[in-house]
Amino acid sequence: MKRMVLGKKFIAALLLGTAFLTGCGDDDDFAPVSRNRGYDYSLTSTKEFADYPCNDVREGREAVVGRDKESYYCQFDYRDSVYIWAGYDDTLTATGKEFTRKEISSSSRGSSSSDDDDYSSSSYSSSSYRSSSSYSSSYSSSSYRSSSSYTWVDPFNPDTDYGSMTDPRDGKTYKTVVVNGQLWMAENLNYAGNNVGTAVCYDDDDFRCEQYGRLYSRDAAMDDSRCEYLSNCDLGSDPIQGICPDGWHIPTVEEMNDLVDFVGTYASRYKSKESNWRYDDGTDTYGLSFLGSGNWDSKDGFEDIYKYEVTWAYYPDTYQHYLLVGGSDGTVSIISYKNTEYYSSVRCISDEAPVYYSSSARSSSSYSSSSSSYSGPWSSENPSSSFSISSKEDLFNPDLTYGTMKDPRDGKEYKTIEFNGQTWMAENLNFSDSSIVPLLEGHNTCYHEIESECELFGRLYDRIAAMNDSRCDFKEDCDLGDGPIQGICPDGWHVLTYDEANSMISYVGANNYARRIISAKGWGESVNGDNTYGLSFIAPGTRDGNNYDSKGGLAYYWVYRASIDQNYLFIHGTNETIATNDYNNQRLSLPVRCIKDE
C-alpha cells in the first residue's frame, strides 16, 4: 500500500470561492452509510467536494472518491494557512477560513506574516492539530501523538546573526550559523527526494517535517545503499555529501566531537529557547536551535520527540553514529549503536574550510567585530544570560579610587585596589609569554580560544601554569610549601592563597553578600553586583576538561593550597554566595588574581 503523504502539493488559489464557506454544518451532515464503512464521505467524483468543504468542523474526516475509493483527508495546511483536502499524490481543493501567523523562518513556510502570536482564529485552536485516525494508531510507542497539542515555535535565537542557504534541488531555504569556525545549518534538513533508503516525517505528519525536518534512515542520510542498516558503511575517510545539497556534507564523527568540545556537554546550549523541550529549557548559546525532533527505531517506532535530538554523523564502519542531545540528564554525547535501526535528523556542514577566529573576529553574534566591545548571549549555565561591556572600564566601580601596576614582563597595566590591608589586582591576569615562563606553553587559553576574551576578561590557566610549577599538574600533589607563592604573577606579587581567600570571605560575608565584590557588569542579567569594595570579580568562564562553560553565571578563581586537589575561590552570582572549594575530576583552567607581597 502506498504511504500517504499529505500536503505535498498546494494549489495557489481557492478553487471554489466563497461558496465553500457555506454548509459547514456539524456531524449530522456526514453520511451514516459511509461512516459505517470506515470513512465519512463516499463521493462519485471530485466535483462533489464543492458540497463538502474542508474546514474546522470536518478536520480529520476521510472522503473516498470514485470506484477506486481514492482517499482524501481534511487537514489544516500550515504552509498556506488554509484547510485542504489532501490525498496520496495531490490536493484537490483548498478552502475555508484563513489564519494568520507571525513569520517563522525563511524555510519555505510561506510569506504570510502577522504581529499576532502563532496562529489565531475564533474557531481553531492554535495548539491543536488533529491527524486522521489512520495515523493515530500507526505507532503505539510514540511519545507524542500527532493528535497531541503542540504549537509552531520560532526556534531561532534573536541575538544570533544567522545566514541562509537555499537547497537548489527543491528551493527550500535554511538558516545557517557559524560555530567554532564552521558553517552549520541551523535547521534540520527537509529534503524528500532521496533515491536510497527511507525519509519520513515524525508520525507521518507533514507539519512535523516543516518544523522539525525529516527523519532519514542511515542509507538515505549517506545517500548510499552500502550504508543500509547492519552494512559496513565505508565510503572512505573524507567527509561525504550524502543527502546534503552540493557544497555541504554530513558531519563526520570528528566534526561532531569538535562541536561538543567547543560548545560543551550541557544540552541547554544546543536547545532552542522557544520550544517544547521537556526536562530543561534551552539557552541556544550558539544558535544551533535544536528542537527535539525525536527519532524512529525498528523496535518502538516513532519516539522521544521533545526529549531528544538525534542527528546523523558519518564514520566508515558498521555502527550507526549520531549526536544525541537531551534526555532527563540534560547531556550531549556522540553515540555508536547498531542493535536497532534508527531514522534520525540531518544537519549539514558547509564544505568550506573552517575559519577559527583567534583575535577579534567571530562570525556568530556571540562576539562583535570590534576588539574593544563585547556583546553576546553567553548563557553557558543558568543563571547566565547575557552581558555587554564596551571596555574594561565598565568592570570597575566609578566611585572608588584605583591604583595601577605594570607587569614588567609584557608592559600590560592593571588596576589595583586596597582591600582589608592588602593591595589586590582589581582585574584578571593576562600574561601569556612562554619565552619568559616556559610552563605557559600549552597550559593557558582564552575563553573559546578568542584572544579578545583575554583582553577584556583575562586569561585561563591550568594549575601548572597558574602555580608555575610542574609539580602542580592535574592529579599531582601541588605541595610548594605553606605559601604564598609567586606562581604566574609578576615579581613582588603572588597567587591568592587559600587562607587569603577565606579571610576575604570572612570580611565580606559568605552568604548574601557576594554583590559587594561582584562587578556591576561582567555577569548575566540576573546577577546584580554593586562592587562595594572595588574587587570587580567577574564570571569570565572556565574550561573544565575540554568544555568551556560558566560564563556570566558562576565564577572560579585559582587559590594556592598544598593539596592534590585543585582548589579555587567560588562565587555564585544569583545566590550571592562565596566559598572556597576543590575539584579533581577534570583538569581545570581558571583565571588568576594576584596580591601584592606586603
Side-chain angles (χ1 to χ4, degrees), residues 317-529:
D317 66 6
T318 304
Y319 286 85
Q320 299 170 117
H321 298 270
Y322 48 85
L323 175 74
L324 184 70
V325 176
S328 57
D329 58 355
T331 60
V332 179
S333 55
I334 312 297
I335 303 295
S336 301
Y337 192 74
K338 68 176 181 180
N339 291 349
T340 307
E341 183 180 11
Y342 276 99
Y343 297 173
S344 306
S345 301
V346 166
R347 285 287 180 103
C348 302
I349 299 181
S350 174
D351 292 343
E352 296 178 5
V355 178
Y356 296 102
Y357 300 91
S358 59
S359 56
S360 62
R362 182 172 172 85
S363 291
S364 73
S365 68
S366 300
Y367 184 73
S368 74
S369 60
S370 170
S371 62
S372 64
S373 65
Y374 174 92
S375 177
W378 292 103
S379 49
S380 301
E381 283 195 31
N382 290 330
S384 170
S385 177
S386 64
F387 60 89
S388 175
I389 68 170
S390 58
S391 74
K392 287 199 296 184
E393 292 299 320
D394 289 342
L395 302 177
F396 308 114
N397 186 338
D399 298 325
L400 299 179
T401 301
Y402 289 88
T404 59
M405 64 87 68
K406 179 181 288 187
D407 189 335
R409 299 170 296 182
D410 59 6
K412 287 188 174 75
E413 288 193 355
Y414 300 88
K415 287 193 181 296
T416 63
I417 193 72
E418 300 299 318
F419 171 76
N420 195 20
Q422 292 180 299
T423 302
W424 288 60
M425 282 176 56
E427 51 187 298
N428 298 339
L429 187 67
N430 181 24
F431 175 72
S432 61
D433 193 340
S434 59
S435 67
I436 298 174
V437 180
L439 279 178
L440 281 172
E441 184 69 36
H443 294 283
N444 74 99
T445 185
C446 300
Y447 194 78
H448 282 308
E449 292 87 41
I450 302 172
E451 191 66 29
S452 54
E453 291 281 304
C454 284
E455 294 168 7
L456 288 174
F457 308 119
R459 194 164 293 271
L460 304 178
Y461 302 91
D462 69 10
R463 192 168 62 160
I464 283 181
M467 308 307 165
N468 193 20
D469 199 302
S470 59
R471 289 174 291 176
C472 294
D473 198 1
F474 179 52
K475 292 191 175 180
E476 296 293 331
D477 189 5
C478 181
D479 189 350
L480 309 180
D482 294 336
I485 63 167
Q486 179 178 348
I488 194 59
C489 296
D491 290 342
W493 296 74
H494 64 265
V495 176
L496 174 67
T497 69
Y498 185 78
D499 290 340
E500 287 170 330
N502 283 314
S503 177
M504 183 264 287
I505 293 170
S506 297
Y507 187 89
V508 174
N511 298 315
N512 304 316
Y513 294 110
R515 64 182 181 276
R516 297 177 176 179
I517 64 171
I518 287 176
S519 173
K521 297 186 178 180
W523 293 80
E525 61 186 12
S526 60
V527 179
N528 300 307

Side-chain angles (χ1 to χ4, degrees), residues 248-264:
W248 296 74
H249 64 266
I250 302 291
T252 65
V253 167
E254 182 179 5
E255 287 171 327
M256 284 295 196
N257 277 315
D258 287 344
L259 178 71
V260 174
D261 286 345
F262 183 82
V263 177

Side-chain angles (χ1 to χ4, degrees), residues 38-70:
Y39 39 83
D40 300 294
Y41 306 93
S42 179
L43 308 178
T44 59
S45 69
T46 56
K47 292 181 180 180
E48 293 185 31
F49 275 107
D51 297 323
Y52 299 94
C54 176
N55 51 38
D56 56 334
V57 174
R58 295 195 175 93
E59 187 180 7
R61 298 295 181 177
E62 179 184 13
V64 294
V65 180
R67 292 182 178 180
D68 293 334
K69 290 185 170 56
E70 291 289 338

Side-chain angles (χ1 to χ4, degrees), residues 70-85:
E70 291 289 338
S71 293
Y72 291 86
Y73 290 89
C74 176
Q75 70 172 50
F76 186 72
D77 167 28
Y78 287 84
R79 185 190 298 260
D80 291 338
S81 297
V82 294
Y83 283 99
I84 59 174
W85 282 107

Side-chain angles (χ1 to χ4, degrees), residues 124-144:
Y124 182 78
S125 170
S126 65
S127 62
S128 174
Y129 177 79
R130 300 177 295 278
S131 289
S132 85
S133 59
S134 65
Y135 297 103
S136 62
S137 61
S138 299
Y139 295 93
S140 60
S141 64
S142 173
S143 302
Y144 275 72

Side-chain angles (χ1 to χ4, degrees), residues 199-257:
V200 298
C201 302
Y202 193 94
D203 274 344
D204 291 323
D205 183 341
D206 273 13
F207 173 82
R208 302 285 194 183
C209 276
E210 286 294 300
Q211 177 81 89
Y212 302 103
R214 203 164 290 270
L215 302 176
Y216 298 89
S217 60
R218 187 177 66 164
D219 51 342
M222 308 307 163
D223 196 30
D224 199 300
S225 59
R226 290 174 289 176
C227 294
E228 289 181 353
Y229 176 55
L230 295 180
S231 298
N232 185 18
C233 182
D234 189 349
L235 310 180
S237 57
D238 294 331
I240 62 168
Q241 178 177 347
I243 196 66
C244 296
D246 289 343
W248 296 74
H249 64 266
I250 302 291
T252 65
V253 167
E254 182 179 5
E255 287 171 327
M256 284 295 196
N257 277 315

